[in-house]
Amino acid sequence: MNITFLLFPNLTQLDFTGPLQVLSRLPGAQVALAAKHKAPVPTDAVLTLNPTHDFSDCPPTDLLCIPGGFGIDDAMQDKETIAFVKREGARASYVTSVCTGAFILGAAGLLKGKKATTHWAYHDELKHVGAEPVQARVVRDGNLFTGGGVTAGIDFAFTLAAEIAGDDVAKAIQLGLEYDPAPPFHAGSPDKAAQATLEAMTARYAPRVADFRKALAAAAQGRQ
């Protein structure tokens, strides 16, 4: 199976590295890291990523995965990036995203009429790319798989692994990675966090979401 991850500047590295760690352990997996250029790609957390392919020489994919991050504002307005996502999404057996990567799929027209999820702070914005927002950590609609915010990408990847290779393989990968989460706090989603925590984080995200909405509108205008 050819698995392709889209890389773009200022992506959230865990959106990418969590699913990569799981999916790369699938039997026969061949992973491509595709970017607009082969120069190192900066992430939001010091780590720099090295693409294996650019858009022109990336092999046809069976599974396309789009991570999220603040860099989506520019990525979803970039014509070459969206053309690549459209091309690979049209022939992939699985079209997938983690966190706000869903909006790159949306900019490519791949979420129209589809159930999808994304990071909680951006969830209501999914309707602006034609999707039906669903509150869940992982959402499937046909061959479209979307994961919620950041760490949800790990659960998303195990869901994909089970779909592709069966439950036993997915469970074996889970054991090998010792994925047995036991967080010290139950504050990882809006319905579990204390009200004060939720209000503080909503306020912190507000300027960022406002900028995102402008970028989303610009991306839509650019497609007209």
Side-chain angles (χ1 to χ4, degrees), residues 90-132:
R91 59 190 177 188
S93 298
Y94 301 95
V95 177
T96 77
S97 66
V98 177
C99 197
T100 53
F103 292 99
I104 296 178
L105 291 181
L110 299 175
L111 292 189
K112 290 180 180 177
K114 298 285 190 177
K115 295 181 174 68
T117 192
T118 188
H119 188 284
W120 63 267
Y122 302 81
H123 203 262
D124 290 344
E125 307 303 320
L126 284 169
K127 60 181 178 288
H128 295 303
V129 290
E132 178 185 337

Short mmCIF file of all heavy atoms in Angstrom, two decimals, residues 90-132:
data_model
loop_
_atom_site.label_atom_id
_atom_site.label_comp_id
_atom_site.label_asym_id
_atom_site.label_seq_id
_atom_site.Cartn_x
_atom_site.Cartn_y
_atom_site.Cartn_z
N ALA A 90 -8.63 11.82 -5.92
CA ALA A 90 -9.51 11.21 -6.91
C ALA A 90 -9.18 9.74 -7.14
O ALA A 90 -10.05 8.96 -7.51
CB ALA A 90 -9.43 11.97 -8.22
N ARG A 91 -7.93 9.34 -6.92
CA ARG A 91 -7.55 7.95 -7.21
C ARG A 91 -7.20 7.14 -5.97
O ARG A 91 -6.94 5.94 -6.06
CB ARG A 91 -6.40 7.92 -8.19
CG ARG A 91 -5.12 8.62 -7.76
CD ARG A 91 -4.17 8.69 -8.96
NE ARG A 91 -2.94 9.41 -8.68
CZ ARG A 91 -2.05 9.72 -9.62
NH1 ARG A 91 -2.27 9.37 -10.88
NH2 ARG A 91 -0.95 10.38 -9.32
N ALA A 92 -7.20 7.77 -4.80
CA ALA A 92 -6.87 7.05 -3.58
C ALA A 92 -8.03 6.17 -3.11
O ALA A 92 -9.20 6.52 -3.28
CB ALA A 92 -6.51 8.04 -2.48
N SER A 93 -7.69 5.04 -2.52
CA SER A 93 -8.71 4.19 -1.91
C SER A 93 -9.20 4.77 -0.60
O SER A 93 -10.35 4.54 -0.20
CB SER A 93 -8.14 2.78 -1.66
OG SER A 93 -7.75 2.17 -2.87
N TYR A 94 -8.32 5.51 0.07
CA TYR A 94 -8.66 6.15 1.34
C TYR A 94 -8.22 7.61 1.29
O TYR A 94 -7.07 7.90 1.00
CB TYR A 94 -7.97 5.45 2.52
CG TYR A 94 -8.32 3.99 2.63
CD1 TYR A 94 -7.50 3.01 2.07
CD2 TYR A 94 -9.48 3.58 3.29
CE1 TYR A 94 -7.83 1.67 2.16
CE2 TYR A 94 -9.81 2.23 3.38
CZ TYR A 94 -8.99 1.28 2.82
OH TYR A 94 -9.31 -0.05 2.91
N VAL A 95 -9.16 8.50 1.57
CA VAL A 95 -8.89 9.94 1.60
C VAL A 95 -9.07 10.37 3.06
O VAL A 95 -10.16 10.20 3.63
CB VAL A 95 -9.85 10.72 0.69
CG1 VAL A 95 -9.61 12.22 0.79
CG2 VAL A 95 -9.69 10.24 -0.75
N THR A 96 -8.02 10.92 3.67
CA THR A 96 -8.06 11.10 5.12
C THR A 96 -7.43 12.42 5.55
O THR A 96 -6.63 13.02 4.82
CB THR A 96 -7.32 9.94 5.83
OG1 THR A 96 -5.90 10.12 5.75
CG2 THR A 96 -7.68 8.59 5.23
N SER A 97 -7.79 12.83 6.76
CA SER A 97 -7.20 14.03 7.34
C SER A 97 -7.19 13.92 8.85
O SER A 97 -7.96 13.15 9.44
CB SER A 97 -7.96 15.29 6.91
OG SER A 97 -9.28 15.28 7.46
N VAL A 98 -6.32 14.71 9.46
CA VAL A 98 -6.25 14.84 10.91
C VAL A 98 -6.40 16.31 11.25
O VAL A 98 -5.83 17.18 10.58
CB VAL A 98 -4.91 14.30 11.45
CG1 VAL A 98 -4.82 14.50 12.97
CG2 VAL A 98 -4.73 12.83 11.09
N CYS A 99 -7.16 16.59 12.30
CA CYS A 99 -7.29 17.95 12.81
C CYS A 99 -7.77 18.89 11.69
O CYS A 99 -8.65 18.54 10.90
CB CYS A 99 -5.96 18.39 13.43
SG CYS A 99 -6.04 19.83 14.50
N THR A 100 -7.17 20.05 11.57
CA THR A 100 -7.62 21.04 10.57
C THR A 100 -7.18 20.71 9.16
O THR A 100 -7.52 21.43 8.22
CB THR A 100 -7.12 22.44 10.95
OG1 THR A 100 -5.71 22.40 11.16
CG2 THR A 100 -7.82 22.93 12.21
N GLY A 101 -6.47 19.60 8.98
CA GLY A 101 -6.18 19.13 7.63
C GLY A 101 -7.44 18.90 6.83
O GLY A 101 -7.43 18.91 5.59
N ALA A 102 -8.56 18.71 7.54
CA ALA A 102 -9.85 18.53 6.85
C ALA A 102 -10.16 19.70 5.92
O ALA A 102 -10.79 19.52 4.86
CB ALA A 102 -10.96 18.38 7.89
N PHE A 103 -9.70 20.90 6.27
CA PHE A 103 -10.05 22.06 5.46
C PHE A 103 -9.25 22.11 4.15
O PHE A 103 -9.69 22.76 3.19
CB PHE A 103 -9.86 23.34 6.28
CG PHE A 103 -10.87 23.44 7.39
CD1 PHE A 103 -10.52 23.08 8.68
CD2 PHE A 103 -12.16 23.84 7.13
CE1 PHE A 103 -11.44 23.14 9.71
CE2 PHE A 103 -13.10 23.90 8.15
CZ PHE A 103 -12.74 23.55 9.45
N ILE A 104 -8.12 21.44 4.11
CA ILE A 104 -7.42 21.30 2.83
C ILE A 104 -8.20 20.36 1.93
O ILE A 104 -8.35 20.61 0.73
CB ILE A 104 -5.97 20.84 3.05
CG1 ILE A 104 -5.19 21.91 3.83
CG2 ILE A 104 -5.28 20.54 1.72
CD1 ILE A 104 -3.76 21.55 4.13
N LEU A 105 -8.71 19.26 2.51
CA LEU A 105 -9.60 18.40 1.73
C LEU A 105 -10.83 19.19 1.27
O LEU A 105 -11.29 19.05 0.14
CB LEU A 105 -10.05 17.20 2.56
CG LEU A 105 -9.01 16.15 2.92
CD1 LEU A 105 -9.65 15.03 3.74
CD2 LEU A 105 -8.35 15.57 1.68
N GLY A 106 -11.35 20.03 2.17
CA GLY A 106 -12.51 20.83 1.82
C GLY A 106 -12.23 21.80 0.70
O GLY A 106 -13.04 21.98 -0.21
N ALA A 107 -11.05 22.42 0.73
CA ALA A 107 -10.67 23.36 -0.32
C ALA A 107 -10.53 22.66 -1.66
O ALA A 107 -10.69 23.28 -2.72
CB ALA A 107 -9.37 24.07 0.05
N ALA A 108 -10.22 21.36 -1.61
CA ALA A 108 -10.10 20.57 -2.84
C ALA A 108 -11.45 19.99 -3.27
O ALA A 108 -11.51 19.24 -4.26
CB ALA A 108 -9.10 19.44 -2.62
N GLY A 109 -12.51 20.32 -2.55
CA GLY A 109 -13.84 19.84 -2.93
C GLY A 109 -14.14 18.42 -2.53
O GLY A 109 -15.11 17.83 -3.01
N LEU A 110 -13.36 17.87 -1.60
CA LEU A 110 -13.49 16.45 -1.25
C LEU A 110 -14.36 16.19 -0.03
O LEU A 110 -14.52 15.04 0.38
CB LEU A 110 -12.11 15.84 -1.04
CG LEU A 110 -11.18 15.89 -2.26
CD1 LEU A 110 -9.80 15.37 -1.91
CD2 LEU A 110 -11.77 15.08 -3.41
N LEU A 111 -14.93 17.25 0.55
CA LEU A 111 -15.80 17.06 1.72
C LEU A 111 -17.27 17.36 1.43
O LEU A 111 -18.10 17.25 2.33
CB LEU A 111 -15.34 17.97 2.88
CG LEU A 111 -13.99 17.66 3.53
CD1 LEU A 111 -13.82 18.50 4.79
CD2 LEU A 111 -13.86 16.18 3.88
N LYS A 112 -17.59 17.72 0.22
CA LYS A 112 -18.96 18.11 -0.09
C LYS A 112 -19.94 16.96 0.17
O LYS A 112 -19.80 15.88 -0.39
CB LYS A 112 -19.06 18.57 -1.55
CG LYS A 112 -18.35 19.89 -1.80
CD LYS A 112 -18.46 20.32 -3.24
CE LYS A 112 -17.73 21.66 -3.46
NZ LYS A 112 -17.77 22.07 -4.88
N GLY A 113 -20.91 17.24 1.05
CA GLY A 113 -21.92 16.24 1.37
C GLY A 113 -21.43 15.11 2.26
O GLY A 113 -22.16 14.14 2.46
N LYS A 114 -20.24 15.27 2.83
CA LYS A 114 -19.63 14.20 3.63
C LYS A 114 -19.68 14.54 5.12
O LYS A 114 -19.55 15.69 5.52
CB LYS A 114 -18.17 14.00 3.22
CG LYS A 114 -17.96 13.57 1.78
CD LYS A 114 -18.32 12.12 1.59
CE LYS A 114 -17.90 11.61 0.22
NZ LYS A 114 -18.18 10.17 0.06
N LYS A 115 -19.84 13.52 5.94
CA LYS A 115 -19.68 13.67 7.39
C LYS A 115 -18.20 13.78 7.71
O LYS A 115 -17.39 13.04 7.13
CB LYS A 115 -20.29 12.48 8.12
CG LYS A 115 -21.81 12.35 7.98
CD LYS A 115 -22.31 11.15 8.78
CE LYS A 115 -23.83 11.10 8.77
NZ LYS A 115 -24.36 10.80 7.44
N ALA A 116 -17.83 14.69 8.61
CA ALA A 116 -16.41 14.89 8.91
C ALA A 116 -16.26 15.51 10.29
O ALA A 116 -17.20 16.06 10.87
CB ALA A 116 -15.76 15.79 7.86
N THR A 117 -15.03 15.43 10.81
CA THR A 117 -14.69 16.05 12.07
C THR A 117 -13.36 16.78 11.93
O THR A 117 -12.64 16.61 10.94
CB THR A 117 -14.65 15.04 13.22
OG1 THR A 117 -14.59 15.74 14.47
CG2 THR A 117 -13.46 14.09 13.10
N THR A 118 -13.04 17.58 12.94
CA THR A 118 -11.79 18.32 12.97
C THR A 118 -11.56 18.77 14.41
O THR A 118 -12.29 18.36 15.31
CB THR A 118 -11.85 19.53 11.99
OG1 THR A 118 -10.56 20.13 11.90
CG2 THR A 118 -12.85 20.58 12.44
N HIS A 119 -10.57 19.61 14.63
CA HIS A 119 -10.31 20.15 15.97
C HIS A 119 -11.55 20.89 16.48
O HIS A 119 -12.22 21.59 15.73
CB HIS A 119 -9.12 21.11 15.89
CG HIS A 119 -8.62 21.58 17.20
ND1 HIS A 119 -9.27 22.54 17.96
CD2 HIS A 119 -7.51 21.23 17.91
CE1 HIS A 119 -8.59 22.77 19.07
NE2 HIS A 119 -7.52 21.98 19.07
N TRP A 120 -11.82 20.75 17.78
CA TRP A 120 -13.06 21.31 18.34
C TRP A 120 -13.21 22.81 18.11
O TRP A 120 -14.32 23.30 17.92
CB TRP A 120 -13.14 21.00 19.84
CG TRP A 120 -12.06 21.62 20.70
CD1 TRP A 120 -10.88 21.04 21.06
CD2 TRP A 120 -12.06 22.93 21.28
NE1 TRP A 120 -10.13 21.90 21.83
CE2 TRP A 120 -10.83 23.07 21.99
CE3 TRP A 120 -12.96 23.99 21.28
CZ2 TRP A 120 -10.49 24.23 22.68
CZ3 TRP A 120 -12.63 25.16 21.97
CH2 TRP A 120 -11.40 25.27 22.67
N ALA A 121 -12.10 23.55 18.11
CA ALA A 121 -12.19 25.01 17.97
C ALA A 121 -12.64 25.44 16.57
O ALA A 121 -13.09 26.57 16.38
CB ALA A 121 -10.85 25.65 18.30
N TYR A 122 -12.52 24.54 15.60
CA TYR A 122 -12.84 24.86 14.21
C TYR A 122 -14.05 24.06 13.70
O TYR A 122 -14.41 24.15 12.53
CB TYR A 122 -11.66 24.54 13.29
CG TYR A 122 -10.40 25.27 13.65
CD1 TYR A 122 -9.56 24.82 14.67
CD2 TYR A 122 -10.00 26.42 12.96
CE1 TYR A 122 -8.38 25.49 15.00
CE2 TYR A 122 -8.83 27.08 13.27
CZ TYR A 122 -8.03 26.61 14.30
OH TYR A 122 -6.87 27.28 14.62
N HIS A 123 -14.65 23.28 14.58
CA HIS A 123 -15.63 22.29 14.16
C HIS A 123 -16.78 22.89 13.36
O HIS A 123 -17.18 22.35 12.31
CB HIS A 123 -16.16 21.55 15.40
CG HIS A 123 -16.73 20.21 15.09
ND1 HIS A 123 -18.08 19.99 14.94
CD2 HIS A 123 -16.12 19.02 14.89
CE1 HIS A 123 -18.28 18.71 14.68
NE2 HIS A 123 -17.12 18.10 14.64
N ASP A 124 -17.32 24.00 13.84
CA ASP A 124 -18.48 24.59 13.15
C ASP A 124 -18.13 25.12 11.76
O ASP A 124 -19.03 25.32 10.93
CB ASP A 124 -19.06 25.72 13.99
CG ASP A 124 -19.76 25.22 15.25
OD1 ASP A 124 -20.06 24.00 15.32
OD2 ASP A 124 -20.00 26.04 16.16
N GLU A 125 -16.85 25.33 11.50
CA GLU A 125 -16.44 25.87 10.20
C GLU A 125 -16.53 24.83 9.08
O GLU A 125 -16.47 25.19 7.90
CB GLU A 125 -15.01 26.42 10.27
CG GLU A 125 -14.76 27.42 11.40
CD GLU A 125 -15.70 28.61 11.36
OE1 GLU A 125 -15.97 29.12 10.25
OE2 GLU A 125 -16.15 29.03 12.44
N LEU A 126 -16.67 23.56 9.44
CA LEU A 126 -16.73 22.50 8.42
C LEU A 126 -17.87 22.71 7.44
O LEU A 126 -17.77 22.35 6.27
CB LEU A 126 -16.85 21.12 9.08
CG LEU A 126 -15.57 20.56 9.69
CD1 LEU A 126 -15.89 19.33 10.53
CD2 LEU A 126 -14.55 20.20 8.61
N LYS A 127 -18.95 23.29 7.91
CA LYS A 127 -20.09 23.49 7.01
C LYS A 127 -19.75 24.45 5.87
O LYS A 127 -20.39 24.41 4.81
CB LYS A 127 -21.30 24.00 7.79
CG LYS A 127 -21.11 25.32 8.51
CD LYS A 127 -22.37 25.71 9.29
CE LYS A 127 -22.20 27.02 10.05
NZ LYS A 127 -21.31 26.84 11.21
N HIS A 128 -18.74 25.28 6.06
CA HIS A 128 -18.37 26.24 5.02
C HIS A 128 -17.61 25.58 3.86
O HIS A 128 -17.38 26.23 2.84
CB HIS A 128 -17.53 27.36 5.61
CG HIS A 128 -18.29 28.20 6.60
ND1 HIS A 128 -19.45 28.86 6.29
CD2 HIS A 128 -18.05 28.48 7.91
CE1 HIS A 128 -19.91 29.51 7.34
NE2 HIS A 128 -19.08 29.29 8.35
N VAL A 129 -17.20 24.32 4.04
CA VAL A 129 -16.58 23.58 2.94
C VAL A 129 -17.48 22.42 2.50
O VAL A 129 -17.04 21.47 1.86
CB VAL A 129 -15.17 23.07 3.30
CG1 VAL A 129 -14.19 24.23 3.39
CG2 VAL A 129 -15.17 22.27 4.60
N GLY A 130 -18.76 22.54 2.85
CA GLY A 130 -19.75 21.58 2.36
C GLY A 130 -19.88 20.31 3.15
O GLY A 130 -20.60 19.39 2.75
N ALA A 131 -19.18 20.21 4.30
CA ALA A 131 -19.23 19.00 5.11
C ALA A 131 -20.35 19.05 6.14
O ALA A 131 -20.85 20.13 6.48
CB ALA A 131 -17.89 18.77 5.81
N GLU A 132 -20.70 17.90 6.65
CA GLU A 132 -21.64 17.79 7.78
C GLU A 132 -20.82 17.53 9.03
O GLU A 132 -20.27 16.43 9.20
CB GLU A 132 -22.63 16.65 7.55
CG GLU A 132 -23.60 16.44 8.69
CD GLU A 132 -24.50 15.24 8.49
OE1 GLU A 132 -24.69 14.81 7.35
OE2 GLU A 132 -25.01 14.72 9.52
#
